[in-house]
Amino acid sequence: MSFEQCQRITLLMAGFNKAWFIAGGWAIDLFIGKETREHKDLEFAVFRKDQLDLKHYLKEWEFKKVIKGEFHTWGNEFLELPVHEIHASNKLNREEIEILLNETKDHNWKFRRDPRISSPLNSVWSYSATGIPYLKPEIVLLYKAKNTREKDHQDFMAIKGYLGNEQKQWLRYSLELHKPEHKWLQFLF
């Protein structure tokens, strides 16, 4: 995969009139502006409140919701927590995408794993130099802190020097609340 995959999602979502953004390791690389490691998947996020709009927009796709690691057909019901992951497959060409649902309340993004952590909605995503929307790296890293794998640690080490002071402070505060023993805290000064 290269940024071409991110561009394909951008083309696919060009007519979607709600917020969406690349998530995961690709979001880290879009922030930096270069590929820092090999990526085996690509996921993007939408706000939970917009899930049915997304399903209607991608009407040529088949959807599965993920419940406790297992795939189940997603009808037309509104998905509530703990469901936060959806997989879709294009009926015409079998292309597959992974979609992550993000929480909101009022005008804030809310961290689904710890409601004490939030950020203003208009501050959770940005755009690459080529116009690809991506989830801000400090939020991506907070998600990656739950079960930190080697690729997650690689992402952190690749980006830590690019984070501004406010981003580091926000991530440090969030980790101190949510994962106070996390090894990344030692790097966030």
Side-chain angles (χ1 to χ4, degrees):
M1 286 187 175
S2 69
F3 282 130
E4 290 175 24
Q5 295 289 73
C6 298
Q7 287 285 5
R8 280 213 325 253
I9 296 294
T10 302
L11 289 174
L12 173 68
M13 298 299 291
F16 187 60
N17 64 356
K18 307 287 184 183
W20 68 273
F21 27 85
I22 302 291
W26 279 111
I28 299 288
D29 285 357
L30 285 165
F31 177 80
I32 292 172
K34 65 179 180 183
E35 246 181 276
T36 61
R37 67 172 174 84
E38 182 181 339
H39 299 274
K40 298 202 182 327
D41 60 358
L42 172 67
E43 57 273 317
F44 70 93
V46 298
F47 295 126
R48 180 175 300 277
K49 63 184 177 68
D50 299 328
Q51 63 180 279
L52 295 176
D53 293 315
L54 176 70
K55 191 169 188 196
H56 178 74
Y57 178 74
L58 297 175
K59 57 186 171 276
E60 299 300 323
W61 295 66
E62 294 175 340
F63 288 87
K64 302 275 186 191
K65 58 188 174 184
V66 179
I67 302 173
K68 296 182 180 176
E70 295 183 6
F71 293 90
H72 300 271
T73 300
W74 177 25
N76 288 318
E77 77 276 17
F78 187 86
L79 301 176
E80 300 284 356
L81 280 172
V83 177
H84 63 273
E85 182 179 342
I86 304 164
H87 289 248
S89 177
N90 188 314
K91 296 176 198 174
L92 302 174
N93 65 12
R94 308 315 294 166
E95 180 181 0
E96 296 188 2
I97 54 176
E98 180 180 343
I99 304 143
L100 304 171
L101 300 176
N102 276 240
E103 309 309 312
T104 61
K105 184 172 183 185
D106 302 321
H107 299 290
N108 291 300
W109 166 89
K110 302 294 272 183
F111 185 46
R112 76 170 177 272
R113 296 179 185 145
D114 191 330
R116 298 174 295 174
I117 301 170
S118 66
S119 189
L121 273 183
N122 63 357
S123 72
V124 299
W125 77 91
S126 192
Y127 293 89
S128 72
T130 58
I132 302 170
Y134 62 86
L135 188 60
K136 294 265 186 104
E138 60 271 28
I139 295 175
V140 172
L141 292 169
L142 181 61
Y143 279 116
K144 288 175 167 282
K146 180 180 179 185
N147 295 309
T148 307
R149 302 159 293 185
E150 180 56 33
K151 70 178 184 175
D152 301 322
H153 189 64
Q154 286 175 348
D155 287 345
F156 177 79
M157 296 309 284
I159 201 165
K160 69 180 176 67
Y162 291 89
L163 295 175
N165 286 335
E166 284 185 28
Q167 292 170 303
K168 287 179 187 176
Q169 288 173 358
W170 185 91
L171 182 56
R172 181 172 186 75
Y173 168 80
S174 299
L175 287 174
E176 286 172 344
L177 282 177
H178 185 65
K179 291 280 184 189
E181 303 299 319
H182 203 283
K183 63 184 175 183
W184 292 344
L185 285 167
Q186 65 187 310
F187 299 103
L188 292 171
F189 286 100

